[in-house]
Amino acid sequence: MFWWPARVLHWLMAWMLLTMLFVGAGMVASVSERHAWLLALHKPLGIAILALALLRLALRLWRRPPPLPRELGAAQRFAAHASHWLLYALMLAMPLIGWAMLSAGGYPIELGTGLRLPPIAPFDPSWFAALRWLHRTLAYALFALVLLHLGAALHHGLIRRDGVLRSMLWRRRGVDARESGAAD
């Protein structure tokens, strides 16, 4: 069973990432007045994801996740570990690349109520274009990885029924204690 703070952060960030992916898709597909509203949501949400990803990474390094089932083959273990670390890399890289992109474009990053982040890259239109391409490309990669993660979770929960999905879900405390032998 995953530690409860890891579960809270996992599900909070899952909703934030899905929201961010759809907000980003809406931003590039819209030239209406909604674009400014979506952009105003996208920036602080990206910084919140960056902060929570750092917290998640620290918690994961401090308190290791439960082991994978012994029945998984070496290739599946490798895929599981690699995909999780790639998710962490993208959750950290995407906001930083977005921040650098906006800095290179000369656009301020306002988080609302007058809070403005300093630029982390010099103004340079060619850097802005390159970082914009990278941000978009990695967003597609993140979306694909999220779908793969969801598919793997459903495979473990509905087909293998090996406890991997169950270890990240919320259940009644009595059920947790009976199944794991101890409460969280």
Side-chain angles (χ1 to χ4, degrees), residues 20-99:
M20 181 61 93
L21 288 168
F22 285 108
V23 165
M27 281 175 20
V28 299
S30 175
V31 291
S32 70
E33 66 279 351
R34 278 183 268 150
H35 183 270
W37 179 80
L38 291 170
L39 189 60
L41 178 62
H42 193 78
K43 292 175 186 179
L45 189 55
I47 296 302
I49 287 172
L50 175 62
L52 290 176
L54 288 168
L55 177 59
R56 265 189 89 180
L57 184 58
L59 287 176
R60 183 180 178 107
L61 294 173
W62 179 49
R63 187 158 174 176
R64 313 276 301 155
L68 292 170
R70 289 187 199 107
E71 306 82 45
L72 286 182
Q76 287 177 310
R77 286 178 179 282
F78 175 79
H81 291 298
S83 65
H84 279 103
W85 287 111
L86 189 53
L87 276 169
Y88 279 104
L90 288 171
M91 288 187 293
L92 295 170
M94 289 293 297
L96 289 171
I97 291 168
W99 186 355

Side-chain angles (χ1 to χ4, degrees), residues 149-171:
H149 185 74
L150 177 61
L154 292 174
H155 176 76
H156 281 284
L158 301 175
I159 296 170
R160 292 185 61 95
R161 297 181 186 203
D162 56 11
V164 171
L165 176 61
R166 195 171 45 245
S167 70
M168 188 51 80
L169 295 176
W170 297 102
R171 297 183 317 250

Side-chain angles (χ1 to χ4, degrees), residues 114-137:
L115 180 61
R116 182 181 282 193
L117 296 179
I120 61 170
F123 175 78
D124 184 335
S126 62
W127 268 100
F128 173 78
L131 290 169
R132 185 170 187 218
W133 176 86
L134 182 59
H135 193 67
R136 182 181 330 129
T137 302

